[in-house]
Amino acid sequence: MTEESTAVTHPLLDLAPLSAAHFASVEDRVARLLDTRQDVVIMQGEALLPLEGAIRAAAGPGTVALNVITGPYGRTFGDWLRDCGATVRDLAVPFHTAVTAERIREAFAEHPEIDFVSLVHAEAATGNTNPVAEIGAVVREQGALFYLDAVASVGAEPVLPDAWGVDLCVIGAQKAMGGPAGVSAVSVSERAWARMAANPRAPRRSYLSLLDWKERWVDAGREALPHAPAQLEMLALEACLERIETEGLETVMARHGCAAAATRAGASALGGGLEPYVHKASEAAPVATTLRTPPGVVASELVARALASDPALPLAAGGGALAQEMIRVNHYGPDATLHTVQATLAALGAALAAQGHPTNPEACRRSAEEAWR
């Protein structure tokens, strides 16, 4: 038997190397998705990599940061900022609501020395979304650097770094974009690059280092990759971007909006004490809908019962203490469909009924269908 005849091939293995030009072309597609002229760097890891890297590059002992907390990631950003030596002014709002531009303006009035603002656009964990365009206008007036986590929102609602004055905008593909989790991207303004260059504590010669990417990749004309790319994830990201381009970004976002509206309407009509966790529909994220369980019903137990009927349903209980009262319906990416929404609500209704809570599955189905239109 010859060596050639014993070779085993697989479509995911033995691929031709990903060239620098190919890598750069995927970055260009991300830039078009965000409608930005800023530098876009695709980083070779899950979105926590650029989220942490951007903060550690731009913040230091002289930074005074306004850290907006509308969910668990806001808390994490505050921890990173303090680790960097920044002075942090936390602005926390209840997780069932959103922050307002007026609250941001008030924070600047109280602390005019603020020069860095960190914000999560949509908190998939709590189901709220923040008015970034209005907040960005306030931040721009004050001249502060604006850092935005748009990992959950991109693909589900507009994300426009240039129009909104965002200096560091981090995205990931694994939610509304329906893509891979192993790569992520950040758009970086000239102001942000300058802030990093002036920060002696910015990571260098490190996997976290954005400045290394700038010097070895962006400034070098994107002709030689700094290290071997995550080839499969890059190809998956490219396919994801192509699918969005083919369907149309506006259509993809509309589908997520319909999924959110249908979930809220169906849950409200279902009965059994289930209700939207985020009070106002205008403050609810289109990427995922959170629901509050009735008194005496533990959310994590209800989710487990619902998933027993179909483990593939996009259901999860809230994290930490929220596991007692919050359910999250992750209707994003390929799950942003009416069928998925109705199947998920039907499973929750059956689980509630099994615990003695009367529900109306038909009213739920009709309400979800009407809200989708």
mmCIF file with all atom_site columns, all heavy atoms in Angstrom, residues 233-255:
data_model
loop_
_atom_site.group_PDB
_atom_site.id
_atom_site.type_symbol
_atom_site.label_atom_id
_atom_site.label_alt_id
_atom_site.label_comp_id
_atom_site.label_asym_id
_atom_site.label_entity_id
_atom_site.label_seq_id
_atom_site.pdbx_PDB_ins_code
_atom_site.Cartn_x
_atom_site.Cartn_y
_atom_site.Cartn_z
_atom_site.occupancy
_atom_site.B_iso_or_equiv
_atom_site.pdbx_formal_charge
_atom_site.auth_seq_id
_atom_site.auth_comp_id
_atom_site.auth_asym_id
_atom_site.auth_atom_id
_atom_site.pdbx_PDB_model_num
ATOM 1   N N   . GLU A 1 233 ? -11.510 29.525 12.205 1.00 0.00 ? 233 GLU A N   1
ATOM 2   C CA  . GLU A 1 233 ? -12.382 30.582 12.723 1.00 0.00 ? 233 GLU A CA  1
ATOM 3   C C   . GLU A 1 233 ? -12.456 31.760 11.756 1.00 0.00 ? 233 GLU A C   1
ATOM 4   O O   . GLU A 1 233 ? -13.522 32.368 11.583 1.00 0.00 ? 233 GLU A O   1
ATOM 5   C CB  . GLU A 1 233 ? -11.886 31.053 14.092 1.00 0.00 ? 233 GLU A CB  1
ATOM 6   C CG  . GLU A 1 233 ? -12.128 30.070 15.228 1.00 0.00 ? 233 GLU A CG  1
ATOM 7   C CD  . GLU A 1 233 ? -11.081 28.965 15.284 1.00 0.00 ? 233 GLU A CD  1
ATOM 8   O OE1 . GLU A 1 233 ? -10.172 28.938 14.416 1.00 0.00 ? 233 GLU A OE1 1
ATOM 9   O OE2 . GLU A 1 233 ? -11.179 28.110 16.181 1.00 0.00 ? 233 GLU A OE2 1
ATOM 10  N N   . MET A 1 234 ? -11.338 32.096 11.124 1.00 0.00 ? 234 MET A N   1
ATOM 11  C CA  . MET A 1 234 ? -11.346 33.187 10.153 1.00 0.00 ? 234 MET A CA  1
ATOM 12  C C   . MET A 1 234 ? -12.217 32.844 8.949  1.00 0.00 ? 234 MET A C   1
ATOM 13  O O   . MET A 1 234 ? -12.979 33.686 8.449  1.00 0.00 ? 234 MET A O   1
ATOM 14  C CB  . MET A 1 234 ? -9.921  33.506 9.705  1.00 0.00 ? 234 MET A CB  1
ATOM 15  C CG  . MET A 1 234 ? -9.081  34.228 10.746 1.00 0.00 ? 234 MET A CG  1
ATOM 16  S SD  . MET A 1 234 ? -9.705  35.877 11.164 1.00 0.00 ? 234 MET A SD  1
ATOM 17  C CE  . MET A 1 234 ? -9.522  36.731 9.588  1.00 0.00 ? 234 MET A CE  1
ATOM 18  N N   . LEU A 1 235 ? -12.139 31.610 8.480  1.00 0.00 ? 235 LEU A N   1
ATOM 19  C CA  . LEU A 1 235 ? -12.980 31.194 7.360  1.00 0.00 ? 235 LEU A CA  1
ATOM 20  C C   . LEU A 1 235 ? -14.455 31.189 7.761  1.00 0.00 ? 235 LEU A C   1
ATOM 21  O O   . LEU A 1 235 ? -15.328 31.562 6.970  1.00 0.00 ? 235 LEU A O   1
ATOM 22  C CB  . LEU A 1 235 ? -12.559 29.806 6.870  1.00 0.00 ? 235 LEU A CB  1
ATOM 23  C CG  . LEU A 1 235 ? -11.164 29.725 6.227  1.00 0.00 ? 235 LEU A CG  1
ATOM 24  C CD1 . LEU A 1 235 ? -10.809 28.270 5.924  1.00 0.00 ? 235 LEU A CD1 1
ATOM 25  C CD2 . LEU A 1 235 ? -11.091 30.570 4.967  1.00 0.00 ? 235 LEU A CD2 1
ATOM 26  N N   . ALA A 1 236 ? -14.732 30.786 9.010  1.00 0.00 ? 236 ALA A N   1
ATOM 27  C CA  . ALA A 1 236 ? -16.114 30.811 9.493  1.00 0.00 ? 236 ALA A CA  1
ATOM 28  C C   . ALA A 1 236 ? -16.626 32.239 9.612  1.00 0.00 ? 236 ALA A C   1
ATOM 29  O O   . ALA A 1 236 ? -17.783 32.529 9.282  1.00 0.00 ? 236 ALA A O   1
ATOM 30  C CB  . ALA A 1 236 ? -16.209 30.094 10.838 1.00 0.00 ? 236 ALA A CB  1
ATOM 31  N N   . LEU A 1 237 ? -15.757 33.146 10.074 1.00 0.00 ? 237 LEU A N   1
ATOM 32  C CA  . LEU A 1 237 ? -16.154 34.554 10.157 1.00 0.00 ? 237 LEU A CA  1
ATOM 33  C C   . LEU A 1 237 ? -16.443 35.110 8.768  1.00 0.00 ? 237 LEU A C   1
ATOM 34  O O   . LEU A 1 237 ? -17.421 35.837 8.563  1.00 0.00 ? 237 LEU A O   1
ATOM 35  C CB  . LEU A 1 237 ? -15.051 35.364 10.838 1.00 0.00 ? 237 LEU A CB  1
ATOM 36  C CG  . LEU A 1 237 ? -15.265 36.881 10.903 1.00 0.00 ? 237 LEU A CG  1
ATOM 37  C CD1 . LEU A 1 237 ? -16.542 37.220 11.653 1.00 0.00 ? 237 LEU A CD1 1
ATOM 38  C CD2 . LEU A 1 237 ? -14.063 37.562 11.544 1.00 0.00 ? 237 LEU A CD2 1
ATOM 39  N N   . GLU A 1 238 ? -15.605 34.760 7.807  1.00 0.00 ? 238 GLU A N   1
ATOM 40  C CA  . GLU A 1 238 ? -15.829 35.224 6.444  1.00 0.00 ? 238 GLU A CA  1
ATOM 41  C C   . GLU A 1 238 ? -17.167 34.713 5.905  1.00 0.00 ? 238 GLU A C   1
ATOM 42  O O   . GLU A 1 238 ? -17.932 35.458 5.275  1.00 0.00 ? 238 GLU A O   1
ATOM 43  C CB  . GLU A 1 238 ? -14.687 34.757 5.543  1.00 0.00 ? 238 GLU A CB  1
ATOM 44  C CG  . GLU A 1 238 ? -14.797 35.241 4.106  1.00 0.00 ? 238 GLU A CG  1
ATOM 45  C CD  . GLU A 1 238 ? -13.632 34.784 3.261  1.00 0.00 ? 238 GLU A CD  1
ATOM 46  O OE1 . GLU A 1 238 ? -13.221 33.607 3.383  1.00 0.00 ? 238 GLU A OE1 1
ATOM 47  O OE2 . GLU A 1 238 ? -13.128 35.607 2.475  1.00 0.00 ? 238 GLU A OE2 1
ATOM 48  N N   . ALA A 1 239 ? -17.463 33.432 6.159  1.00 0.00 ? 239 ALA A N   1
ATOM 49  C CA  . ALA A 1 239 ? -18.731 32.863 5.704  1.00 0.00 ? 239 ALA A CA  1
ATOM 50  C C   . ALA A 1 239 ? -19.913 33.535 6.375  1.00 0.00 ? 239 ALA A C   1
ATOM 51  O O   . ALA A 1 239 ? -20.954 33.783 5.750  1.00 0.00 ? 239 ALA A O   1
ATOM 52  C CB  . ALA A 1 239 ? -18.744 31.356 5.990  1.00 0.00 ? 239 ALA A CB  1
ATOM 53  N N   . CYS A 1 240 ? -19.739 33.847 7.658  1.00 0.00 ? 240 CYS A N   1
ATOM 54  C CA  . CYS A 1 240 ? -20.795 34.540 8.414  1.00 0.00 ? 240 CYS A CA  1
ATOM 55  C C   . CYS A 1 240 ? -21.067 35.924 7.827  1.00 0.00 ? 240 CYS A C   1
ATOM 56  O O   . CYS A 1 240 ? -22.212 36.331 7.626  1.00 0.00 ? 240 CYS A O   1
ATOM 57  C CB  . CYS A 1 240 ? -20.355 34.621 9.867  1.00 0.00 ? 240 CYS A CB  1
ATOM 58  S SG  . CYS A 1 240 ? -21.079 35.914 10.837 1.00 0.00 ? 240 CYS A SG  1
ATOM 59  N N   . LEU A 1 241 ? -19.999 36.658 7.528  1.00 0.00 ? 241 LEU A N   1
ATOM 60  C CA  . LEU A 1 241 ? -20.147 37.987 6.936  1.00 0.00 ? 241 LEU A CA  1
ATOM 61  C C   . LEU A 1 241 ? -20.794 37.895 5.555  1.00 0.00 ? 241 LEU A C   1
ATOM 62  O O   . LEU A 1 241 ? -21.661 38.713 5.200  1.00 0.00 ? 241 LEU A O   1
ATOM 63  C CB  . LEU A 1 241 ? -18.788 38.667 6.837  1.00 0.00 ? 241 LEU A CB  1
ATOM 64  C CG  . LEU A 1 241 ? -18.160 39.083 8.163  1.00 0.00 ? 241 LEU A CG  1
ATOM 65  C CD1 . LEU A 1 241 ? -16.667 39.338 8.002  1.00 0.00 ? 241 LEU A CD1 1
ATOM 66  C CD2 . LEU A 1 241 ? -18.860 40.318 8.723  1.00 0.00 ? 241 LEU A CD2 1
ATOM 67  N N   . GLU A 1 242 ? -20.409 36.887 4.795  1.00 0.00 ? 242 GLU A N   1
ATOM 68  C CA  . GLU A 1 242 ? -20.999 36.710 3.461  1.00 0.00 ? 242 GLU A CA  1
ATOM 69  C C   . GLU A 1 242 ? -22.494 36.420 3.566  1.00 0.00 ? 242 GLU A C   1
ATOM 70  O O   . GLU A 1 242 ? -23.298 36.933 2.777  1.00 0.00 ? 242 GLU A O   1
ATOM 71  C CB  . GLU A 1 242 ? -20.286 35.580 2.729  1.00 0.00 ? 242 GLU A CB  1
ATOM 72  C CG  . GLU A 1 242 ? -20.789 35.361 1.315  1.00 0.00 ? 242 GLU A CG  1
ATOM 73  C CD  . GLU A 1 242 ? -19.979 34.315 0.564  1.00 0.00 ? 242 GLU A CD  1
ATOM 74  O OE1 . GLU A 1 242 ? -18.941 33.871 1.088  1.00 0.00 ? 242 GLU A OE1 1
ATOM 75  O OE2 . GLU A 1 242 ? -20.400 33.953 -0.549 1.00 0.00 ? 242 GLU A OE2 1
ATOM 76  N N   . ARG A 1 243 ? -22.876 35.614 4.550  1.00 0.00 ? 243 ARG A N   1
ATOM 77  C CA  . ARG A 1 243 ? -24.298 35.298 4.732  1.00 0.00 ? 243 ARG A CA  1
ATOM 78  C C   . ARG A 1 243 ? -25.090 36.547 5.101  1.00 0.00 ? 243 ARG A C   1
ATOM 79  O O   . ARG A 1 243 ? -26.200 36.761 4.602  1.00 0.00 ? 243 ARG A O   1
ATOM 80  C CB  . ARG A 1 243 ? -24.447 34.218 5.809  1.00 0.00 ? 243 ARG A CB  1
ATOM 81  C CG  . ARG A 1 243 ? -25.872 33.725 5.977  1.00 0.00 ? 243 ARG A CG  1
ATOM 82  C CD  . ARG A 1 243 ? -25.920 32.458 6.811  1.00 0.00 ? 243 ARG A CD  1
ATOM 83  N NE  . ARG A 1 243 ? -25.402 32.645 8.152  1.00 0.00 ? 243 ARG A NE  1
ATOM 84  C CZ  . ARG A 1 243 ? -25.294 31.665 9.050  1.00 0.00 ? 243 ARG A CZ  1
ATOM 85  N NH1 . ARG A 1 243 ? -25.645 30.428 8.704  1.00 0.00 ? 243 ARG A NH1 1
ATOM 86  N NH2 . ARG A 1 243 ? -24.833 31.895 10.254 1.00 0.00 ? 243 ARG A NH2 1
ATOM 87  N N   . ILE A 1 244 ? -24.531 37.387 5.959  1.00 0.00 ? 244 ILE A N   1
ATOM 88  C CA  . ILE A 1 244 ? -25.210 38.632 6.327  1.00 0.00 ? 244 ILE A CA  1
ATOM 89  C C   . ILE A 1 244 ? -25.327 39.553 5.115  1.00 0.00 ? 244 ILE A C   1
ATOM 90  O O   . ILE A 1 244 ? -26.382 40.168 4.877  1.00 0.00 ? 244 ILE A O   1
ATOM 91  C CB  . ILE A 1 244 ? -24.459 39.333 7.474  1.00 0.00 ? 244 ILE A CB  1
ATOM 92  C CG1 . ILE A 1 244 ? -24.588 38.524 8.762  1.00 0.00 ? 244 ILE A CG1 1
ATOM 93  C CG2 . ILE A 1 244 ? -24.995 40.754 7.686  1.00 0.00 ? 244 ILE A CG2 1
ATOM 94  C CD1 . ILE A 1 244 ? -23.719 39.027 9.899  1.00 0.00 ? 244 ILE A CD1 1
ATOM 95  N N   . GLU A 1 245 ? -24.257 39.643 4.337  1.00 0.00 ? 245 GLU A N   1
ATOM 96  C CA  . GLU A 1 245 ? -24.286 40.491 3.146  1.00 0.00 ? 245 GLU A CA  1
ATOM 97  C C   . GLU A 1 245 ? -25.336 40.001 2.157  1.00 0.00 ? 245 GLU A C   1
ATOM 98  O O   . GLU A 1 245 ? -26.039 40.796 1.524  1.00 0.00 ? 245 GLU A O   1
ATOM 99  C CB  . GLU A 1 245 ? -22.904 40.509 2.488  1.00 0.00 ? 245 GLU A CB  1
ATOM 100 C CG  . GLU A 1 245 ? -21.850 41.240 3.303  1.00 0.00 ? 245 GLU A CG  1
ATOM 101 C CD  . GLU A 1 245 ? -20.435 40.942 2.844  1.00 0.00 ? 245 GLU A CD  1
ATOM 102 O OE1 . GLU A 1 245 ? -20.268 40.182 1.865  1.00 0.00 ? 245 GLU A OE1 1
ATOM 103 O OE2 . GLU A 1 245 ? -19.491 41.460 3.475  1.00 0.00 ? 245 GLU A OE2 1
ATOM 104 N N   . THR A 1 246 ? -25.469 38.682 2.035  1.00 0.00 ? 246 THR A N   1
ATOM 105 C CA  . THR A 1 246 ? -26.441 38.108 1.096  1.00 0.00 ? 246 THR A CA  1
ATOM 106 C C   . THR A 1 246 ? -27.874 38.348 1.570  1.00 0.00 ? 246 THR A C   1
ATOM 107 O O   . THR A 1 246 ? -28.745 38.738 0.781  1.00 0.00 ? 246 THR A O   1
ATOM 108 C CB  . THR A 1 246 ? -26.190 36.595 0.932  1.00 0.00 ? 246 THR A CB  1
ATOM 109 O OG1 . THR A 1 246 ? -24.869 36.400 0.435  1.00 0.00 ? 246 THR A OG1 1
ATOM 110 C CG2 . THR A 1 246 ? -27.199 35.980 -0.031 1.00 0.00 ? 246 THR A CG2 1
ATOM 111 N N   . GLU A 1 247 ? -28.125 38.103 2.852  1.00 0.00 ? 247 GLU A N   1
ATOM 112 C CA  . GLU A 1 247 ? -29.468 38.333 3.392  1.00 0.00 ? 247 GLU A CA  1
ATOM 113 C C   . GLU A 1 247 ? -29.778 39.813 3.481  1.00 0.00 ? 247 GLU A C   1
ATOM 114 O O   . GLU A 1 247 ? -30.935 40.230 3.313  1.00 0.00 ? 247 GLU A O   1
ATOM 115 C CB  . GLU A 1 247 ? -29.600 37.681 4.771  1.00 0.00 ? 247 GLU A CB  1
ATOM 116 C CG  . GLU A 1 247 ? -31.004 37.769 5.364  1.00 0.00 ? 247 GLU A CG  1
ATOM 117 C CD  . GLU A 1 247 ? -31.147 37.044 6.693  1.00 0.00 ? 247 GLU A CD  1
ATOM 118 O OE1 . GLU A 1 247 ? -30.177 36.385 7.131  1.00 0.00 ? 247 GLU A OE1 1
ATOM 119 O OE2 . GLU A 1 247 ? -32.238 37.129 7.297  1.00 0.00 ? 247 GLU A OE2 1
ATOM 120 N N   . GLY A 1 248 ? -28.745 40.621 3.756  1.00 0.00 ? 248 GLY A N   1
ATOM 121 C CA  . GLY A 1 248 ? -28.914 42.057 3.951  1.00 0.00 ? 248 GLY A CA  1
ATOM 122 C C   . GLY A 1 248 ? -28.944 42.379 5.431  1.00 0.00 ? 248 GLY A C   1
ATOM 123 O O   . GLY A 1 248 ? -29.739 41.794 6.180  1.00 0.00 ? 248 GLY A O   1
ATOM 124 N N   . LEU A 1 249 ? -28.058 43.284 5.862  1.00 0.00 ? 249 LEU A N   1
ATOM 125 C CA  . LEU A 1 249 ? -27.971 43.609 7.282  1.00 0.00 ? 249 LEU A CA  1
ATOM 126 C C   . LEU A 1 249 ? -29.300 44.100 7.824  1.00 0.00 ? 249 LEU A C   1
ATOM 127 O O   . LEU A 1 249 ? -29.704 43.728 8.934  1.00 0.00 ? 249 LEU A O   1
ATOM 128 C CB  . LEU A 1 249 ? -26.866 44.651 7.517  1.00 0.00 ? 249 LEU A CB  1
ATOM 129 C CG  . LEU A 1 249 ? -26.669 45.102 8.962  1.00 0.00 ? 249 LEU A CG  1
ATOM 130 C CD1 . LEU A 1 249 ? -26.349 43.924 9.884  1.00 0.00 ? 249 LEU A CD1 1
ATOM 131 C CD2 . LEU A 1 249 ? -25.566 46.162 9.050  1.00 0.00 ? 249 LEU A CD2 1
ATOM 132 N N   . GLU A 1 250 ? -30.005 44.934 7.073  1.00 0.00 ? 250 GLU A N   1
ATOM 133 C CA  . GLU A 1 250 ? -31.291 45.450 7.549  1.00 0.00 ? 250 GLU A CA  1
ATOM 134 C C   . GLU A 1 250 ? -32.278 44.307 7.774  1.00 0.00 ? 250 GLU A C   1
ATOM 135 O O   . GLU A 1 250 ? -33.042 44.319 8.744  1.00 0.00 ? 250 GLU A O   1
ATOM 136 C CB  . GLU A 1 250 ? -31.857 46.453 6.540  1.00 0.00 ? 250 GLU A CB  1
ATOM 137 C CG  . GLU A 1 250 ? -31.056 47.738 6.411  1.00 0.00 ? 250 GLU A CG  1
ATOM 138 C CD  . GLU A 1 250 ? -31.030 48.553 7.699  1.00 0.00 ? 250 GLU A CD  1
ATOM 139 O OE1 . GLU A 1 250 ? -32.028 48.497 8.448  1.00 0.00 ? 250 GLU A OE1 1
ATOM 140 O OE2 . GLU A 1 250 ? -30.014 49.216 7.964  1.00 0.00 ? 250 GLU A OE2 1
ATOM 141 N N   . THR A 1 251 ? -32.255 43.324 6.900  1.00 0.00 ? 251 THR A N   1
ATOM 142 C CA  . THR A 1 251 ? -33.153 42.176 7.051  1.00 0.00 ? 251 THR A CA  1
ATOM 143 C C   . THR A 1 251 ? -32.783 41.351 8.272  1.00 0.00 ? 251 THR A C   1
ATOM 144 O O   . THR A 1 251 ? -33.653 40.899 9.020  1.00 0.00 ? 251 THR A O   1
ATOM 145 C CB  . THR A 1 251 ? -33.095 41.292 5.786  1.00 0.00 ? 251 THR A CB  1
ATOM 146 O OG1 . THR A 1 251 ? -33.466 42.080 4.655  1.00 0.00 ? 251 THR A OG1 1
ATOM 147 C CG2 . THR A 1 251 ? -34.033 40.107 5.896  1.00 0.00 ? 251 THR A CG2 1
ATOM 148 N N   . VAL A 1 252 ? -31.483 41.154 8.490  1.00 0.00 ? 252 VAL A N   1
ATOM 149 C CA  . VAL A 1 252 ? -31.017 40.397 9.662  1.00 0.00 ? 252 VAL A CA  1
ATOM 150 C C   . VAL A 1 252 ? -31.450 41.109 10.947 1.00 0.00 ? 252 VAL A C   1
ATOM 151 O O   . VAL A 1 252 ? -31.965 40.479 11.881 1.00 0.00 ? 252 VAL A O   1
ATOM 152 C CB  . VAL A 1 252 ? -29.488 40.221 9.627  1.00 0.00 ? 252 VAL A CB  1
ATOM 153 C CG1 . VAL A 1 252 ? -28.998 39.560 10.913 1.00 0.00 ? 252 VAL A CG1 1
ATOM 154 C CG2 . VAL A 1 252 ? -29.081 39.387 8.418  1.00 0.00 ? 252 VAL A CG2 1
ATOM 155 N N   . MET A 1 253 ? -31.256 42.420 11.005 1.00 0.00 ? 253 MET A N   1
ATOM 156 C CA  . MET A 1 253 ? -31.644 43.170 12.199 1.00 0.00 ? 253 MET A CA  1
ATOM 157 C C   . MET A 1 253 ? -33.159 43.139 12.391 1.00 0.00 ? 253 MET A C   1
ATOM 158 O O   . MET A 1 253 ? -33.648 43.006 13.527 1.00 0.00 ? 253 MET A O   1
ATOM 159 C CB  . MET A 1 253 ? -31.139 44.606 12.106 1.00 0.00 ? 253 MET A CB  1
ATOM 160 C CG  . MET A 1 253 ? -29.621 44.726 12.185 1.00 0.00 ? 253 MET A CG  1
ATOM 161 S SD  . MET A 1 253 ? -29.025 46.430 12.379 1.00 0.00 ? 253 MET A SD  1
ATOM 162 C CE  . MET A 1 253 ? -29.531 47.158 10.823 1.00 0.00 ? 253 MET A CE  1
ATOM 163 N N   . ALA A 1 254 ? -33.925 43.248 11.300 1.00 0.00 ? 254 ALA A N   1
ATOM 164 C CA  . ALA A 1 254 ? -35.385 43.209 11.407 1.00 0.00 ? 254 ALA A CA  1
ATOM 165 C C   . ALA A 1 254 ? -35.857 41.871 11.954 1.00 0.00 ? 254 ALA A C   1
ATOM 166 O O   . ALA A 1 254 ? -36.800 41.802 12.757 1.00 0.00 ? 254 ALA A O   1
ATOM 167 C CB  . ALA A 1 254 ? -36.010 43.485 10.046 1.00 0.00 ? 254 ALA A CB  1
ATOM 168 N N   . ARG A 1 255 ? -35.194 40.805 11.533 1.00 0.00 ? 255 ARG A N   1
ATOM 169 C CA  . ARG A 1 255 ? -35.560 39.473 12.029 1.00 0.00 ? 255 ARG A CA  1
ATOM 170 C C   . ARG A 1 255 ? -35.351 39.377 13.536 1.00 0.00 ? 255 ARG A C   1
ATOM 171 O O   . ARG A 1 255 ? -36.185 38.800 14.262 1.00 0.00 ? 255 ARG A O   1
ATOM 172 C CB  . ARG A 1 255 ? -34.713 38.438 11.276 1.00 0.00 ? 255 ARG A CB  1
ATOM 173 C CG  . ARG A 1 255 ? -34.998 37.009 11.600 1.00 0.00 ? 255 ARG A CG  1
ATOM 174 C CD  . ARG A 1 255 ? -34.536 36.058 10.494 1.00 0.00 ? 255 ARG A CD  1
ATOM 175 N NE  . ARG A 1 255 ? -33.164 36.300 10.062 1.00 0.00 ? 255 ARG A NE  1
ATOM 176 C CZ  . ARG A 1 255 ? -32.093 35.861 10.702 1.00 0.00 ? 255 ARG A CZ  1
ATOM 177 N NH1 . ARG A 1 255 ? -32.233 35.188 11.839 1.00 0.00 ? 255 ARG A NH1 1
ATOM 178 N NH2 . ARG A 1 255 ? -30.876 36.087 10.222 1.00 0.00 ? 255 ARG A NH2 1
#
